[in-house]
Amino acid sequence: MASMASRAAAVTITNAALDKPSHGSSVEPTSRISMAVAVDVSKFESVTMAPPDPILGVSEAFKADSSPLKLNLGVGAYRTEELQPYVLDVVKKAEKLMLESGEFKEYLPIEGLAAFNKATAELLLGADNPVIKQGRIATVQGLSGTGSLRLGAAFIQRYLPGVKVLISSPTWGNHKNILNDSGVPWSEYRYFDPTTVGLDFSGMIEDIKNATDGSIILLHGCAHNPTGIDPTAEQWGTIADVIEEKSHLPFFDVAYQGFASGSLDNDASSVRQFVARGLELFVAQSYSKNLGLYAERIGAINAVVSSSDVANRIKSQLKRLARPMYSNPPVHGARIVANVVGDPSLFDEWRSEMQLMAGRIKGVRQSLYDALSSVDENGKDWSFILKQIGMFSFTGLNKNQSDNMTDKWHVYMTKDGRISLAGLSLAKCEYLADAIIDSYYNVK
Ligand code: PLA
């Protein structure tokens, strides 16, 4: 069928004078009328269809499924036991206060809301951390975890050009996209051992040791995504030893502080251990999960460095990178975080809601394990599920098995075998266990 465009004749009136160098107002404009028939061929014929995002694309497929059995365990978004999205009560309270005080909507400074930047650095390092008193931290509000990582990557591309970032194998898929789009080279270090369904610690250490001195090591601060497997405190110490020896720069991605264990302090202990040793490092933070502010896009990029002077210079350069990218960040989420952290009773309430969310996830984790153990007639040991931390479980299902979960059982999950326990209810654990057992034993 001929498109509208191909049938319509386009008439363009061109001011011929505009095609020539201007000699001032004395030039008499001459008009030219040209008739052109627009063609069916777009200027963009060479644009190919992008593949769906491996995580967010799962939510789109889920929406299109009309089965009443369907279960979305793809994206990591917290749901209630009734599988409904959850807005924290403490967020609603903070928003009410904000509405009542009638706060402005003018631009924030490029680096974001000062009260937020202060609160976020204190939450990360602990309010009495000497690094904060010494001004050795540069904090810039970012567009949640992703945008903060992106800003950090842009800084690396500009000030450490050609330096490779080592990422865990596997990692959150978007890390690769972020580094690729920032023009930052990367390679992988071993992390997951499929035989033990645990950490390949010796492989990890060996790869970090073998990297060129001064590489950047991207680490998940807590609740490693997608495996749910974190190093122990002692292992973190060894990782820090090697990083120090090799003059590498650690870059922490902290997307689950407080959400993994229910404690803000526990979940920041890896970062704090590195900071206490006097290492310089970068940290990206997100408030999507721990405050449920997914769509507000609130987070930060922090650089902890050896002097306040360097911190100030880095901050100025981060601002310089942000200005042509998005100019300045959104205010709403920043105010929520600042108000919650700044008010002792709201802060306490936040901590108990965080424990509630983390506790519900631990509950379904246990219940899924129980259901799998009772359904599995072959007696496979599923206890690795209990050892994993955070909102995900890495089931060990391969792509075909994950496809079977979706095609036959309407269970939506990422193709690497990851399921989000935050999208699971106690009531659905048995159904999920049946789906996993069928996929694991009947699909190769
Ligand atoms: N870093 C890690 C390790 C993450 O898992 C996520 C989110 C982010 C950063 C960024 O989140 P933010 O930009 O919302 O702050 N990962 C999710 C969502 C929960 C996603 O893929 O965007 C996931 O399902 O893996």
Side-chain angles (χ1 to χ4, degrees):
M1 199 178 86
S3 72
M4 288 297 285
S6 69
R7 274 185 265 117
V11 178
T12 47
I13 300 175
T14 319
N15 183 344
L18 294 179
D19 295 337
K20 297 182 190 137
S22 166
H23 300 289
S25 58
S26 62
V27 177
E28 205 44 33
T30 54
S31 294
R32 181 177 78 204
I33 298 179
S34 72
M35 303 271 290
V37 179
V39 283
D40 241 348
V41 179
S42 166
K43 287 187 176 66
F44 306 105
E45 288 298 338
S46 64
V47 177
T48 57
M49 184 62 88
D53 183 79
I55 298 177
L56 299 184
V58 174
S59 303
E60 290 169 30
F62 172 80
K63 268 191 209 137
D65 186 337
S66 57
S67 167
L69 296 170
K70 68 177 181 174
L71 199 52
N72 188 2
L73 309 182
V75 69
Y78 182 81
R79 294 290 156 98
T80 61
E81 181 58 27
E82 293 71 42
L83 299 184
Q84 295 305 307
Y86 177 57
V87 180
L88 275 70
D89 285 337
V90 74
V91 166
K92 288 185 197 154
K93 283 187 189 164
E95 284 181 321
K96 191 164 170 277
L97 291 174
M98 283 155 56
L99 202 62
E100 281 164 8
S101 64
E103 285 165 311
F104 63 79
K105 296 282 186 196
E106 285 186 8
Y107 294 131
L108 282 181
I110 303 172
E111 72 264 36
L113 187 72
F116 165 80
N117 286 344
K118 180 174 182 295
T120 199
E122 290 181 358
L123 282 173
L124 179 66
L125 300 184
D128 52 5
N129 197 302
V131 163
I132 294 177
K133 290 195 193 82
Q134 294 156 5
R136 292 198 288 113
I137 182 164
T139 303
V140 170
Q141 184 186 329
L143 306 183
S144 209
T146 307
S148 304
L149 286 162
R150 183 68 176 79
L151 200 53
F155 181 88
I156 290 166
Q157 192 273 336
R158 188 164 291 178
Y159 291 99
L160 299 169
V163 174
K164 214 185 237 182
V165 176
L166 269 78
I167 58 179
S168 62
S169 172
T171 191
W172 178 51
N174 214 21
H175 282 151
K176 295 179 185 173
N177 301 331
I178 290 167
L179 295 170
N180 286 342
D181 280 11
S182 309
V184 174
W186 55 268
S187 63
E188 295 180 311
Y189 60 83
R190 278 170 283 170
Y191 193 83
F192 179 67
D193 180 352
T195 50
T196 61
V197 202
L199 180 63
D200 179 359
F201 186 62
S202 55
M204 177 184 187
I205 292 294
E206 201 179 310
D207 291 346
I208 295 177
K209 262 192 191 152
N210 288 341
T212 313
D213 287 10
S215 297
I216 297 160
I217 315 294
L218 188 65
L219 299 159
H220 298 225
C222 64
H224 183 272
N225 178 6
T227 65
I229 301 158
D230 285 352
T232 62
E234 200 193 334
Q235 288 172 330
W236 277 121
T238 311
I239 296 166
D241 285 342
V242 179
I243 285 181
E244 197 170 348
E245 254 167 60
K246 296 282 298 179
S247 300
H248 294 325
L249 177 75
F251 190 156
F252 281 93
D253 180 357
V254 177
Y256 301 97
Q257 190 186 351
F259 193 82
S261 70
S263 155
L264 285 163
D265 292 329
N266 283 351
D267 292 349
S269 57
S270 56
V271 174
R272 291 180 190 176
Q273 193 185 138
F274 278 54
V275 169
R277 297 172 67 123
L279 294 173
E280 295 196 310
L281 48 87
F282 271 63
V283 189
Q285 291 171 281
S286 163
Y287 290 90
S288 291
K289 269 68 69 172
N290 56 10
L291 256 177
L293 294 177
Y294 307 89
E296 297 298 351
R297 313 310 295 143
I298 177 68
I301 179 76
N302 302 271
V304 175
V305 288
S306 61
S307 72
S308 63
D309 206 33
V310 177
N312 287 337
R313 281 183 268 140
I314 290 182
K315 187 167 180 172
S316 76
Q317 294 297 344
L318 287 169
K319 287 164 64 176
R320 189 186 191 181
L321 286 160
R323 172 65 169 146
M325 229 191 262
Y326 56 85
S327 191
N328 46 74
V331 74
H332 191 71
R335 282 208 186 110
I336 295 172
V337 176
N339 285 347
V340 168
V341 176
D343 177 313
S345 93
L346 290 183
F347 189 46
D348 279 350
E349 210 174 306
W350 178 33
R351 286 197 293 208
S352 42
E353 281 190 276
M354 226 160 3
Q355 278 160 13
L356 186 135
M357 292 189 287
R360 196 188 85 71
I361 295 171
K362 283 182 197 155
V364 288
R365 193 182 278 290
Q366 180 68 49
S367 167
L368 175 63
Y369 165 76
D370 293 344
L372 281 166
S373 305
S374 76
V375 177
D376 190 348
E377 288 167 355
N378 299 297
K380 176 178 158 64
D381 179 9
W382 293 94
S383 63
F384 65 86
I385 291 180
L386 296 178
K387 294 188 196 119
Q388 297 169 345
I389 295 161
M391 76 197 312
F392 300 111
S393 180
F394 206 46
T395 60
L397 295 179
N398 64 28
K399 181 176 177 307
N400 287 343
Q401 293 164 337
S402 303
D403 282 341
N404 185 66
M405 295 284 287
T406 307
D407 300 343
K408 181 167 167 191
W409 294 86
H410 306 274
V411 174
Y412 288 79
M413 58 188 285
T414 53
K415 300 300 172 205
D416 56 0
R418 185 191 86 169
I419 53 175
S420 168
L421 298 177
L424 179 64
S425 61
L426 291 173
K428 295 273 188 182
C429 283
E430 279 178 23
Y431 178 78
L432 180 62
D434 288 339
I436 292 176
I437 295 292
D438 172 53
S439 308
Y440 183 72
Y441 289 111
N442 299 330
V443 179
K444 284 294 144 243

